[in-house]
Amino acid sequence: MADKRYLIDIRKEFPLLVARPGLVYLDNAATTQKPAAVLDTERAFYEEADANIHRGIYALSEEASDRYERAREKVARFLNAPSAENIVFTAGATDSINLVAHSWGLANLERGDEILLTPLEHHANIVPWQQVAKQTGAKVVFCGLKEDFTLDVDDLKRRITPKTGLLAITQVSNVLGIATPLSEIIPYAKQRGVTVLVDGAQGAPHLKTDVQALGCDFYAFSGHKMLAPTGIGVLYVAEQHRSMQPYRTGGDMIEDVTEQGAEFAPLAPRRLEAGTPHIAGAVGLGAAIDYLESIGMDAIHQHEAALLKKAWHALSRIPDVTLLGPAPENDPLFSSRSAVVSFTVEGIHPHDVAQLLDDEGVCIRVGKHCAHPLHARMKVAATNRASFYLYNTEQDIDALVAALRHAIEVFR
Ligand code: PLP
């Protein structure tokens, strides 16, 4: 791994943050800004190596294929997958989960089976399973939460029965930043023959992740939440599922096609990547991984943990602000938590809060964050969410707190 660079300095490597020096960007759980290294690598692909992959015999196409496949190897190393062959490029986490729902879900679930979800899930890890349930007759079941909105692990375990075909679970909540105890849950589920999909959209960008140690069957994430371009994502597919039925069919994923039918490539990734992929996006994702690794995932995580503690305590001192989820010091899974804080302000609609903050250049997210079931369980109509990443600083937190205090004053 390259030298650890001091995290505060890196803002100058993000062209958008340089162009907008007053901007306090705190919507990183939605998407992240891109460093010049990623933008340059993507541009260099188009300027130096643009051709379709896996098809041309000519050198330019081989160069394009090489860059694409090198990116796959980087993703495999980043996740500690056994090999690049376990990595399927997709359009994002949503696309990855839909792939599993359609390829694995429709072929393996039937009436009487249960699909176990947690109330912490993003809609991307709920709706595809509801669709599979409709088509197969399987039933979607949710486990419970504790009073502080962390997962009720005992309840989850109780709900794993011989009927459970799949557990689809997030690594980190996109609303509360809290982690799920995957190292306890996954072995428990696997010992009972349950297939496990992990939604890593809020995990992979922030935490060192090892899919082999986790022991999951599938792991999904999006590039754009970890400095890479939009439109590129990843599905890790454990060895035993590499021959599952393809979701999309067409060019590049076949051995042969006749007028009578087609013979598919036998194994992922080829079997599951139909058509021309987002080649430059994959190459950009490779550059984003290089960038993150040049800083170090542990250093990034420590930086975020410090920001989270500071933000939590500064916000909790503002009268009428309610923070959701456990305080950092009460969270036994704090070491796997992401720097996300969600809050409400007594008597002020979250949209008004966000609007007043925007007037001061502070970008936070408002709404239900594609997690309606979680908001229903928390009994709040909407929340404000501030989410941090490696380029955020303590000054950003000071700006958030000052803008929020000001907004409350203005509103009162
Ligand atoms: N899962 C989680 C936990 C998320 O936070 C998100 C996006 O916010 C997604 C899935 C979907 O990601 P995408 O929209 O990039 O497909």
Side-chain angles (χ1 to χ4, degrees), residues 29-31 91-97 120-125 170-175 199-203 220-225 232 365 369-370 385:
T31 200
T94 304
D95 193 36
S96 298
I97 297 169
L120 297 173
E121 303 311 313
H122 185 282
H123 295 166
N125 202 24
T170 194
Q171 186 177 15
V172 170
S173 158
N174 68 311
V175 178
D199 176 354
Q202 300 292 344
F221 73 88
S222 293
H224 69 96
K225 292 183 198 289
I232 185 75
R365 181 85 154 196
H369 320 296
C370 297
R385 181 186 73 184

Side-chain angles (χ1 to χ4, degrees), residues 24 26-27 149 173-177 307-308 310-326 337 339-358 362-369 374-375 378-388 396-408 412:
V24 179
L26 300 179
D27 195 16
F149 311 130
S173 158
N174 68 311
V175 178
L176 304 174
L307 291 179
L308 174 57
K310 181 178 158 87
W312 186 278
H313 292 117
L315 291 168
S316 64
R317 281 198 290 273
I318 304 178
D320 297 336
V321 168
T322 302
L323 290 152
L324 297 155
R337 187 159 164 174
V340 178
V341 278
S342 282
F343 57 92
T344 54
V345 184
E346 180 68 30
I348 312 182
H349 194 280
H351 281 94
D352 293 327
V353 172
Q355 185 61 58
L356 288 163
L357 262 57
D358 186 42
V362 179
C363 313
I364 62 162
R365 181 85 154 196
V366 59
K368 296 188 207 250
H369 320 296
L374 175 60
H375 279 74
M378 297 193 300
K379 298 191 172 55
V380 284
T383 49
N384 290 113
R385 181 186 73 184
S387 51
F388 303 85
D396 291 340
I397 297 173
D398 295 341
L400 167 68
V401 170
L404 187 55
R405 283 186 185 277
H406 187 225
I408 294 171
R412 297 270 181 259

Side-chain angles (χ1 to χ4, degrees), residues 210-228:
D210 180 334
V211 288
Q212 292 189 80
L214 284 176
C216 55
D217 295 270
F218 303 106
Y219 182 93
F221 73 88
S222 293
H224 69 96
K225 292 183 198 289
M226 47 180 278
L227 312 181

Side-chain angles (χ1 to χ4, degrees), residues 25-81:
Y25 183 75
L26 300 179
D27 195 16
N28 293 286
T31 200
T32 56
Q33 301 305 329
K34 325 301 178 212
V38 167
L39 301 174
D40 291 348
T41 303
E42 200 183 8
R43 186 178 179 90
F45 171 80
Y46 286 121
E47 289 181 349
E48 297 164 8
D50 189 18
N52 214 329
I53 52 166
H54 302 158
R55 291 170 200 182
I57 294 296
Y58 51 95
L60 187 65
S61 171
E62 281 171 8
E63 173 68 26
S65 304
D66 263 10
R67 292 192 191 196
Y68 182 72
E69 294 304 332
R70 277 207 302 270
R72 198 192 302 279
E73 282 162 18
K74 284 180 190 171
V75 173
R77 269 204 314 277
F78 184 69
L79 295 180
N80 194 32

Side-chain angles (χ1 to χ4, degrees), residues 234-392:
V234 165
L235 178 69
Y236 157 75
V237 179
E239 203 55 36
Q240 65 272 29
H241 301 296
R242 286 182 57 213
S243 58
M244 68 183 175
Q245 277 308 305
Y247 166 37
R248 295 206 181 90
T249 52
D252 220 31
M253 53 75 67
I254 46 82
E255 293 287 89
D256 190 22
V257 181
T258 63
E259 292 187 11
Q260 285 70 43
E263 188 193 335
F264 303 148
L267 293 173
R270 253 188 81 206
R271 184 173 170 88
L272 301 175
E273 286 181 11
T276 302
H278 186 4
I279 308 167
V283 172
L285 175 58
I289 288 173
D290 287 343
Y291 187 89
L292 291 169
E293 288 182 337
S294 78
I295 292 164
M297 292 309 289
D298 290 339
I300 291 168
H301 193 60
Q302 277 167 25
H303 176 73
E304 283 193 39
L307 291 179
L308 174 57
K309 280 188 189 156
K310 181 178 158 87
W312 186 278
H313 292 117
L315 291 168
S316 64
R317 281 198 290 273
I318 304 178
D320 297 336
V321 168
T322 302
L323 290 152
L324 297 155
E329 58 276 16
N330 298 331
D331 183 358
L333 296 176
F334 184 74
S335 63
S336 306
R337 187 159 164 174
S338 283
V340 178
V341 278
S342 282
F343 57 92
T344 54
V345 184
E346 180 68 30
I348 312 182
H349 194 280
H351 281 94
D352 293 327
V353 172
Q355 185 61 58
L356 288 163
L357 262 57
D358 186 42
D359 293 345
E360 304 201 22
V362 179
C363 313
I364 62 162
R365 181 85 154 196
V366 59
K368 296 188 207 250
H369 320 296
C370 297
H372 290 197
L374 175 60
H375 279 74
R377 295 242 185 173
M378 297 193 300
K379 298 191 172 55
V380 284
T383 49
N384 290 113
R385 181 186 73 184
S387 51
F388 303 85
Y389 207 19
L390 69 174
Y391 38 66
N392 289 120

